[in-house]
Amino acid sequence: MTTQLSWKQTFQSYLDKRLLWVFMMGCSSGFPWVLIGSNMSGWLTDAGLTRSAIGYFGSVFAVYAINFLWAPLVDRIKLPFLGNALGQRRSWILVCQAVVLVCTLQIAGLDPASNLMMTSMFALAIATASATQDIAIDAFRIDSFRKAESHKMPQASAMAVIGWWTGYSLPGYLAFINADSIGWNGVYYGMAGIVALLMVFTLFVGEPNTDREELQQDAEDRHHKVVKYRVIAWLSVTLIEPFWDFFKRNGVKTALTLLLFVFLFKIGEAFLGRMSITFYKEVGFSNEQIGHYSKLIGWGATVFFTLVGSAFNVKFGIVKGLMIGGIAMASSNLMFAWMASVGPDENIFLATILVDNFTSAFATVAFVSFLTVLTGQAFSATQYALLASLGNFGRTTLASFSGELADYLNSWPTFFILTAVMVIPSLIMLWILRNHFKKILER
C-alpha cells in the first residue's frame, strides 16, 4: 500500500536535484516538436499550403508511434566511446541531439513551399532522432527514481512535463514573435543554437545509478540455459524479454486492457493539437499574438498547473488525477469551439489557452506517472516506449488525418466538439476499471 503524504511532506519532496536533471532532459524532449510541429505548421500556413497538406506533413511524427521497435537497442547497446564516458542514457541522448542539430541547419537553408519533399525528409530525420532520444530520456527519468520511491513519480512526471513544455513553448514563442521580422529561415538558424545549448545541458546532468545491467545479465543467463549460443540468448533477452516481462507481471488480459486505455486516452487532444496553429491563423490571429498567448502565456500556465496537478496526484492518487484530467481535457476542447464561433477575440483566446493548458498539464502528469509505474527496472526504456508509443499513436499517426477531417467537416466548431467526444471511451474504461488500476499502482 502507498502511504499518503502530508501537504508539508508533499511540497518538501520537490527539493531533490534529480528533479532538476529530469527537467533539463524534458526540455530536450519537447524542443524537436516545435521544430517540426508548430513552427513548421506556421511556416507552411504562411507559405499557402492547404490544411490537408499541413496535416499530412505531420505524418513524420508517426515514428513516435513505432519507436518501441528499436527501444530494445537503446536499452542494451552501449555506444562506443560515449557509452563509457557519459553512460548508457546520456550517450544515446547526445548522439540524437547531434542529428537534430544537423537537420535543423539543413531545413534553415530551404524554402519548404518549393522543396517540400526535401524539408519532409529532414523533418523525418529529426522525428526519428527525437523519438529515439525520447526512449533514452524516459528511461533516464524512470532510472533516476527507484520503485520504492513511488511517491516521487508524480513529481518526476511533473518536471518532465514542465521541461517538455519549456523546450516546446519558449522557443516557439521566440519563433513566432520574430517570424515576420527575420523570416522563418532566420528562425530556424536560431533554433539550431538552442539545440547546441541543449547538448551542453546533456553533458552536465548526472547519469542515474541502477541495477539494470545486473538484471539484464541475470535474464541473459536464464535464456542461455535454454538456448545453446550466447548470441541467441542476447537477442532473445533484447527483443523478447521486455515484452514478455510486461505481460507476465500484469497478466495478458490486464496488459491488453492497459494498452487499449493508453491508446484511447489522448486521441482528442492529438487531433486538436495538430490543427491548433492553422486554426489560430484562419480565425484571424497574427504570428505575434499566437506567440504571446499560445506559447508564452501557455508555457507559464502549463508550469503552474503541472505543479498543482503533480501535488494533487501525490496527495490523492494517480487514478483520481487521470479521471479529473480526462474529464477536464474533453471539456476544454469546447472552448475552441466557442472561439471558432466568436472570432479573434483576445480575451477568449486567453481564457481558452488557460483552460486548455490547465487540463492538458493535469492529465499529462497523471498519465505519465501511470505509465511509469507499469514499467520494470531491467527494461525501462523498452517497456515505457511500448506504452508511450501507443499513447503517441493518436497524437502522431491518426492526427495526420486531422486536416482532412477539418476540411470534410468544414466547420471548426463541429471539429472541436468531435475532439471532445473522442475522449469519452477512455473515461468510461477508466471508471469501470478504476479499482483494478488502483490495485496495480498499490502493488
Side-chain angles (χ1 to χ4, degrees), residues 128-206:
T128 304
S130 174
T132 305
Q133 174 191 244
D134 281 359
I135 297 169
I137 287 176
D138 289 328
F140 177 95
R141 172 175 50 80
I142 295 168
D143 290 350
S144 296
F145 300 92
R146 295 180 180 274
K147 296 297 182 182
E149 299 178 286
S150 59
H151 63 282
K152 285 283 189 180
M153 290 179 185
Q155 289 100 321
S157 300
M159 296 310 294
V161 171
I162 291 172
W164 194 98
W165 280 100
T166 300
Y168 176 78
S169 295
L170 290 188
Y173 165 71
L174 295 174
F176 276 93
I177 64 171
N178 290 293
D180 293 333
S181 58
I182 67 174
W184 284 107
N185 296 90
V187 164
Y188 271 77
Y189 280 117
M191 295 293 105
I194 295 177
V195 180
L197 181 61
L198 292 172
M199 294 176 72
V200 175
F201 286 169
T202 302
L203 295 175
F204 281 96
V205 301

Side-chain angles (χ1 to χ4, degrees), residues 28-29 31-33 35-36 64 93-107 122-133 188 191-192 194-196 198-199:
S28 297
S29 182
F31 182 70
W33 286 76
L35 287 176
I36 55 178
Y64 286 90
I93 293 168
L94 189 69
V95 168
C96 292
Q97 289 172 332
V99 174
V100 172
L101 175 60
V102 171
C103 293
T104 302
L105 289 170
Q106 294 298 320
I107 290 177
F122 285 121
L124 179 61
I126 289 176
T128 304
S130 174
T132 305
Q133 174 191 244
Y188 271 77
M191 295 293 105
I194 295 177
V195 180
L198 292 172
M199 294 176 72

Side-chain angles (χ1 to χ4, degrees), residues 160-383:
V161 171
I162 291 172
W164 194 98
W165 280 100
T166 300
Y168 176 78
S169 295
L170 290 188
Y173 165 71
L174 295 174
F176 276 93
I177 64 171
N178 290 293
D180 293 333
S181 58
I182 67 174
W184 284 107
N185 296 90
V187 164
Y188 271 77
Y189 280 117
M191 295 293 105
I194 295 177
V195 180
L197 181 61
L198 292 172
M199 294 176 72
V200 175
F201 286 169
T202 302
L203 295 175
F204 281 96
V205 301
E207 181 80 3
N209 296 316
T210 70
D211 300 324
R212 182 184 63 255
E213 292 186 5
E214 290 82 355
L215 293 171
Q216 290 179 352
Q217 187 59 53
D218 289 343
E220 191 170 328
D221 291 340
R222 291 198 311 272
H223 283 242
H224 187 52
K225 293 177 181 179
V226 179
V227 296
K228 182 178 179 180
Y229 300 103
R230 175 67 70 175
V231 64
I232 298 177
W234 187 91
L235 287 172
S236 64
V237 169
T238 301
L239 302 177
I240 299 174
E241 181 71 16
F243 306 103
W244 171 257
D245 175 70
F246 176 76
F247 279 90
K248 180 176 64 177
R249 282 189 299 105
N250 294 293
V252 175
K253 183 178 179 180
T254 300
L256 292 175
T257 303
L258 291 169
L259 295 177
L260 180 60
F261 168 75
V262 168
F263 168 68
L264 292 172
F265 189 65
K266 305 196 84 174
I267 286 182
E269 183 188 40
F271 272 73
L272 183 150
R274 183 62 57 82
M275 283 290 105
S276 60
I277 297 297
T278 301
F279 165 68
Y280 296 149
K281 284 180 169 291
E282 288 191 9
V283 85
F285 292 110
S286 67
N287 281 330
E288 189 171 351
Q289 287 174 313
I290 294 171
H292 181 70
Y293 287 103
S294 177
K295 300 302 181 182
L296 185 61
I297 293 179
W299 169 76
T302 297
V303 170
F304 175 76
F305 291 129
T306 297
L307 291 173
V308 172
S310 66
F312 182 94
N313 280 281
V314 171
K315 181 68 176 174
F316 298 106
I318 295 171
V319 173
K320 287 182 180 178
L322 281 171
M323 181 61 71
I324 293 174
I327 293 172
M329 187 167 58
S331 302
S332 69
N333 290 13
L334 300 178
M335 293 287 291
F336 286 85
W338 181 28
M339 184 162 59
S341 301
V342 173
D345 185 301
E346 290 195 42
N347 291 324
I348 296 178
F349 194 9
L350 174 61
T352 301
I353 291 299
L354 291 175
V355 171
D356 182 57
N357 281 275
F358 162 71
T359 58
S360 178
F362 205 96
T364 301
V365 169
F367 191 62
V368 172
S369 300
F370 183 67
L371 299 189
T372 302
V373 172
L374 298 178
T375 62
Q377 185 179 358
F379 304 96
S380 55
T382 304
Q383 292 179 1

Side-chain angles (χ1 to χ4, degrees), residues 24 38 122 293 415 424:
M24 294 169 71
S38 60
F122 285 121
Y293 287 103
F415 173 81
I424 294 176

Side-chain angles (χ1 to χ4, degrees), residues 73-84 87-88 91-92 213:
L73 303 180
V74 180
D75 247 340
R76 295 277 281 157
I77 293 180
K78 180 173 286 189
L79 297 176
F81 308 113
L82 286 177
N84 289 328
Q88 182 75 4
S91 58
W92 276 93
E213 292 186 5

